[in-house]
Amino acid sequence: MKKQIEKEIENIREELLHISQYIGNHPELGHEEFKASKILSEELKKHGFQVELGTCGLATAFTAEFDSGRPGPSIGFMAEYDALPDLGHACGHNLIGTMAVGAAIGVSKVIASCGGKVYVYGTPAEETKGGKVTMAEQGVFDHLDAAMMVHPYCRHEKSGTSLAMDAIQFEFFGKASHAAGAPHEGINALDAVIQTFNGINALRQHILPDARIHGIIPEGGKAANVVPDYAVAQFYVRGTERAYVNELLDKVKNCAKAAALATGARLESSFYELSYDDLKTNETLSDAFTQNMIELGVDPDSIHEKADGGGSVDMGNVSQIAPSIHPYVQICDEPYACHTPEFREAAMSSRGFEGLMLGAKSMAFTAYDVLINEELLKKIKEEFNLLKALA
C-alpha cells in the first residue's frame, strides 16, 4: 500500500511544484497569507477534502478533513506558509505547507482500506503570533492521535526539542523636560529601560545554561536634548521547560519593576506575541518516521540527532496536546542557516523540491503505519500519556 501512496504523491508532483513555487514567489507575512492559504486549501478541495476556512477566527487559517467513513485514528499534518519581513521564504515555509498537502492527499487515496481520518491544518504566522497557539487553546487538535510536520534544513535531523518562550514588553512612562535646561524636572523613561537591561544582564549569571533572554529597544526617545518620557523594551525569555520559563519571567519582570522604582517611571507590562511551549517529541512516532525515510532511500548515517533547544516553535503547543514530531529534511549541502537569503534560494531550488517530496512521502508512510498498526498506536499513546503524567 505504501507503493500506492508514493505513486499518488508522484501523480501530483507538478501540482506540488507549482504550489511551492507560487507561495515562494508571493511571500506573505503572518496573518496576511491569503494567497498561500487559498492555493493550499483549493488543492485539498480538488481531492475531496472538506475545508473550513478561517479556523478559530484566524482569517488565513484553515482545517481540511478527509473522512474514510470508517472508525480509526485521526492524523493531522501541520501546514505553515508565512514569510519573513524582507527575506521572504527564508525559512522554507513554502515547502512546509506544500509538504503537508502532499502527504495528506497521498494518505487520502488509500485511507478507505484502513479507516480513520486525515487532516491538514493551515496554521498561520508561525514566525510571530503562532496560529497553532490559538488553535491549540481552542481545542482544535484535541482529537488527534498523531500530529506531524517536517521542516527543511541543511541536513536530515530527527525530531527533537525546542525552547518554551514568552515575548514580554515593558513600557515605561516618564516625564519630558529640557535635558540641559531643566533635567531635574524630568523622569527619564529611557533610563528605566537601560536599568532593566542592566538588571537582566546581572540575572544571566544565575540562570540555567540553556535558558535565553534577549531583547531590543524599539522606542527610546526622539531627541537628545529632551528627557524621554516614553521608552519600550521587548524581550524573548526562553527555556527548555515551560515551568522554568514561567519562573524566569517573574525574575525578568522584577528587573523592570526595580528599574521603574529607581527612576520614578510608571511601568506597564504586556505580551507582544503569543507564548510558545517547549516541543515534546514522541519518540515512538519519531522512530517510525525515521524508518520510513530510510525505506525511501535515505542513508541511515545521514540522519542526525536533533540538537536540543535553540529555537522556539508553536508546534510545541501542539505537542502538549497530541503525540507530535517536527523532524528536518535536507535541502542543500551547504550549512546555510534558516532566515538567510541563501536558505531562501535553497527552498526555491530543485533540490529543495526533492526535499519536499521526501518529507511528504515520509509523513504519509508514517501516517499509514499509525492507521494500520494498532500496536504502534498503543505505544505512541502510552509514551504520550507517560510524559503528561511526569510533567
Side-chain angles (χ1 to χ4, degrees):
M1 196 63 74
K2 286 184 178 179
K3 289 294 184 184
Q4 182 63 31
I5 292 173
E6 184 174 15
K7 179 181 177 182
E8 296 291 351
I9 295 174
E10 282 293 336
N11 284 344
I12 57 170
R13 169 180 280 267
E14 291 305 314
E15 290 90 336
L16 297 177
L17 176 60
H18 168 69
I19 292 169
S20 66
Q21 291 288 304
Y22 176 84
I23 295 173
N25 285 319
H26 297 84
E28 301 164 295
L29 300 180
H31 295 304
E32 299 174 9
E33 318 99 317
F34 293 99
K35 292 183 176 70
S37 177
K38 181 178 180 180
I39 195 171
L40 292 169
S41 59
E42 289 295 330
E43 183 67 17
L44 290 163
K45 286 180 184 178
K46 280 170 46 181
H47 290 271
F49 282 73
Q50 298 299 309
V51 176
E52 171 202 76
L53 301 175
T55 302
C56 295
L58 303 174
T60 56
F62 66 84
T63 299
E65 175 188 353
F66 194 99
D67 188 347
S68 70
R70 298 173 53 192
S74 293
I75 313 296
F77 300 107
M78 304 295 150
E80 297 175 359
Y81 35 82
D82 60 317
L84 292 155
D86 301 323
L87 285 172
H89 280 285
C91 204
H93 289 193
N94 61 310
L95 302 179
I96 294 174
T98 313
M99 238 186 266
V101 167
I105 291 172
V107 176
S108 74
K109 302 302 182 183
V110 303
I111 198 171
S113 68
C114 55
K117 299 178 182 180
V118 61
Y119 295 83
V120 178
Y121 296 100
T123 62
E126 188 276 332
E127 298 290 356
T128 50
K129 300 180 179 180
K132 297 184 198 65
V133 178
T134 300
M135 296 166 81
E137 288 175 346
Q138 296 192 27
V140 171
F141 311 121
D142 287 358
H143 65 289
L144 291 180
D145 294 289
M148 290 179 259
M149 65 168 287
V150 174
H151 202 293
Y153 195 46
C154 62
R155 66 180 193 172
H156 299 307
E157 285 190 358
K158 298 178 182 179
S159 183
T161 63
S162 68
L163 299 178
M165 181 195 76
D166 284 331
I168 187 73
Q169 174 172 283
F170 300 120
E171 294 178 276
F172 292 95
F173 300 85
K175 180 182 177 184
S177 68
H178 197 290
H184 56 286
E185 294 180 2
I187 297 175
N188 196 316
L190 179 58
D191 279 349
V193 164
I194 292 170
Q195 289 299 324
T196 300
F197 271 86
N198 288 340
I200 290 172
N201 287 338
L203 174 64
R204 284 196 179 94
Q205 182 183 354
H206 306 287
I207 67 176
L208 293 176
D210 47 16
R212 301 286 185 270
I213 310 171
H214 43 102
I216 61 169
I217 305 174
E219 177 66 63
K222 302 299 184 184
N225 65 345
V226 178
V227 174
D229 62 349
Y230 179 70
V232 181
Q234 293 179 338
F235 294 93
Y236 283 143
V237 180
R238 308 185 198 242
T240 55
E241 299 283 346
R242 164 50 55 189
Y244 182 66
V245 172
N246 293 342
E247 175 187 331
L248 187 55
L249 183 66
D250 285 339
K251 295 180 179 180
V252 169
K253 287 181 176 179
N254 285 338
C255 292
K257 291 175 183 177
L261 181 63
T263 60
R266 179 171 61 86
L267 168 65
E268 289 187 8
S269 303
S270 61
F271 293 106
Y272 65 98
E273 292 176 4
L274 299 178
S275 296
Y276 288 7
D277 288 338
D278 48 300
L279 175 68
K280 295 186 181 299
T281 284
N282 187 279
E283 296 297 341
T284 306
L285 185 60
S286 178
D287 288 344
F289 178 88
T290 300
Q291 188 56 47
N292 281 309
M293 287 184 70
I294 295 169
E295 186 176 329
L296 284 160
V298 176
D299 180 356
D301 292 334
S302 72
I303 304 174
H304 301 265
E305 297 293 333
K306 174 73 170 67
D308 287 339
S312 303
V313 294
D314 61 355
M315 189 66 182
N317 297 64
V318 182
S319 75
Q320 310 289 324
I321 294 168
S324 301
I325 57 171
H326 184 289
Y328 295 76
V329 293
Q330 185 176 14
I331 66 166
C332 56
D333 292 319
E334 299 81 1
Y336 296 142
C338 298
H339 295 205
T340 62
E342 293 82 6
F343 197 80
R344 177 189 62 211
E345 299 309 311
M348 292 293 286
S349 70
S350 59
R351 177 76 178 277
F353 179 70
E354 292 308 319
L356 181 160
M357 294 295 286
L358 172 64
K361 293 174 185 178
S362 299
M363 281 197 292
F365 281 19
T366 306
Y368 183 71
D369 288 338
V370 177
L371 289 168
I372 66 168
N373 189 332
E374 291 183 4
E375 186 61 28
L376 174 63
L377 178 60
K378 180 182 176 182
K379 289 180 179 178
I380 288 170
K381 289 188 172 182
E382 285 176 348
E383 178 186 335
F384 178 74
N385 291 331
L386 178 60
L387 284 176
K388 283 193 73 174
L390 295 174

